Amino acid sequence: EVQLVESGGALVQPGRSLRLSCTASGFIFGDYAMSWFRQAPGEGLEWVGFIRGKAYVYGGTIQYAASVKDRFTISRDDSNSVAYLQMNSLKTEDTAVYYCGRGGHCSTTTCPLVIDYWGQGTLVTVSS
Amino acid sequence: DIVMTQSPDSLAVSLGERATINCKSSQSVLYSSNNKNYLAWYKQTPGQPPKLLISWASTRESGVPDRFSGSGSATDFTLTISSLQAEDVAVYYCKQYYSPPLTFGGGTKVEIK
């Protein structure tokens, strides 16, 4: 059974840092891209960024939404099936539930970002 | 960036009736080399993460009831619930994965009339 469990959410002050983890099980982690999304209270879904799987010709490629570029960093530890979201210089507008998502399955030539499994989310509140 | 526009914002439908949600992209999400539309539909209920219903515009995920169907191509897409059930009350989102940044529609809230 595929499972994704986020952790690390907390109440933090503006300007501080936080690292979220997404621990995966039930599939070959390294074969998949992993993405992060967020949802502010009462709002819609926003993509944060992704990191592609190593099988893809551009394996390990990372891309970010403009709103977080240069502040957030995504990484992965394939040996332990964990994806990370390092968040620096946090702003009040970063307050949201953060979700990790699996997808897609990466071959050498394709890595379509169909998010087929999601974690339950972890709440990040940025407030003084 | 590809802008995804959903309509309507909300929809009230009687049990057993059809619900139709539209999604329009600001540019084509049809990849010519494989003739696939890079468009997915998700369902979200309060306090829960999104659930993938349909990928590639019309491919229903395993376990998703066949009353859910997706159609459309290039820039215009539709999610149809053929016979609304109580458990279908949710917010539905379309999402393009043709090119980063991945973008979602604003969501359509489906309720029982």
Side-chain angles (χ1 to χ4, degrees), chain A residues 39 47 63 113-115 118-119, chain B residues 42 44 49-50 95 97 100-101 104:
Chain A
Q39 188 168 35
W47 170 71
Q63 292 194 262
L113 295 163
V114 179
I115 312 302
W118 299 65
Chain B
Y42 295 89
Q44 189 179 34
K95 184 201 84 182
Y97 47 102
F104 292 87

Side-chain angles (χ1 to χ4, degrees), chain A:
Chain A
E1 180 193 5
V2 173
Q3 284 196 317
L4 300 172
V5 179
E6 300 96 338
S7 59
L11 168 63
V12 294
Q13 294 178 325
R16 303 299 291 264
S17 298
L18 200 62
R19 187 177 82 160
L20 307 183
S21 300
C22 171
T23 303
S25 60
F27 64 100
I28 301 174
F29 184 76
D31 286 353
Y32 287 81
M34 296 299 296
S35 295
W36 287 93
F37 300 86
R38 65 185 182 183
Q39 188 168 35
E43 300 295 323
L45 296 162
E46 180 187 13
W47 170 71
V48 172
F50 66 72
I51 181 167
R52 288 194 165 105
K54 61 180 183 295
Y56 185 55
V57 61
Y58 304 109
T61 307
I62 305 171
Q63 292 194 262
Y64 300 96
S67 57
V68 306
K69 198 171 188 296
D70 300 328
R71 297 189 301 124
F72 289 12
T73 302
I74 294 172
S75 60
R76 62 190 297 159
D77 177 354
D78 288 352
S79 61
N80 289 301
S81 299
V82 184
Y84 298 101
L85 179 64
Q86 176 68 43
M87 304 184 293
N88 298 332
S89 303
L90 282 161
K91 306 176 182 180
T92 56
E93 52 264 40
D94 294 320
T95 293
V97 174
Y98 283 73
Y99 296 102
C100 66
R102 184 186 87 159
H105 184 267
C106 297
S107 69
T108 53
T109 55
T110 65
C111 200
L113 295 163
V114 179
I115 312 302
D116 57 358
Y117 285 91
W118 299 65
Q120 286 296 310
T122 188
L123 177 62
V124 173
T125 304
V126 185
S127 174
S128 53

Side-chain angles (χ1 to χ4, degrees), chain B residues 23-101:
Chain B
C23 176
K24 191 174 184 69
S25 57
S26 60
Q27 62 189 76
S28 176
V29 298
L30 173 62
Y31 194 37
S32 56
S33 66
N34 60 10
N35 201 38
K36 287 188 171 186
N37 288 284
Y38 283 56
L39 188 285
W41 289 96
Y42 295 89
K43 171 188 176 182
Q44 189 179 34
T45 53
Q48 295 298 311
K51 175 187 175 184
L52 178 64
L53 297 175
I54 287 170
S55 58
W56 308 111
S58 59
T59 301
R60 201 167 40 244
E61 291 299 297
S62 174
V64 174
D66 60 7
R67 63 180 180 273
F68 289 91
S69 63
S71 62
S73 186
T75 61
D76 291 277
F77 301 91
T78 300
L79 175 69
T80 301
I81 309 171
S82 60
S83 176
L84 192 76
Q85 304 300 304
E87 59 266 33
D88 301 335
V89 169
V91 178
Y92 293 84
Y93 295 93
C94 61
K95 184 201 84 182
Q96 67 81 18
Y97 47 102
Y98 179 87
S99 67

